[in-house]
Amino acid sequence: MSAIFEMPISSEMLAPEEIAQITGSSRKGDQIVWLSGNGWTYHKNKAGEAIVGRLYARLKLAGINPAALATTGGWVPDFSSIR
């Protein structure tokens, strides 16, 4: 998992084009609806545009719950369903 932190970051926030690609919509309102509906944390700027942190997006797209990192002290794999 440390490799995810070693990747170069061009900006701390996703570009509007990247948010549009993730949400499948270029309309601000539709992006907000998609982000909220899929459990993403975001902020809105004064223009009403969604602002998403790049590291948060990397973790979320990798299937890692970023909130769990803060509450458990780190991400741990769940092996309970393996037989």
Side-chain angles (χ1 to χ4, degrees):
M1 181 165 133
S2 64
I4 198 166
F5 298 106
E6 296 171 5
M7 297 172 66
I9 297 178
S10 58
S11 170
E12 291 296 321
M13 300 173 296
L14 295 182
E17 299 80 23
E18 293 172 303
I19 295 174
Q21 185 176 19
I22 290 169
T23 62
S25 178
S26 59
R27 294 178 48 201
K28 292 186 278 188
D30 292 341
Q31 291 174 352
I32 299 293
V33 168
W34 189 94
L35 291 168
S36 296
N38 286 281
W40 282 60
T41 299
Y42 63 91
H43 299 277
K44 286 198 300 188
N45 65 14
K46 193 171 184 178
E49 299 169 328
I51 304 297
V52 178
R54 184 168 301 281
L55 182 57
Y56 174 85
R58 284 184 178 178
L59 293 171
K60 190 80 169 164
L61 292 171
I64 300 169
N65 180 358
L69 293 175
T71 58
T72 63
W75 178 77
V76 241
D78 178 13
F79 297 115
S80 63
S81 62
I82 298 175
R83 293 181 189 236

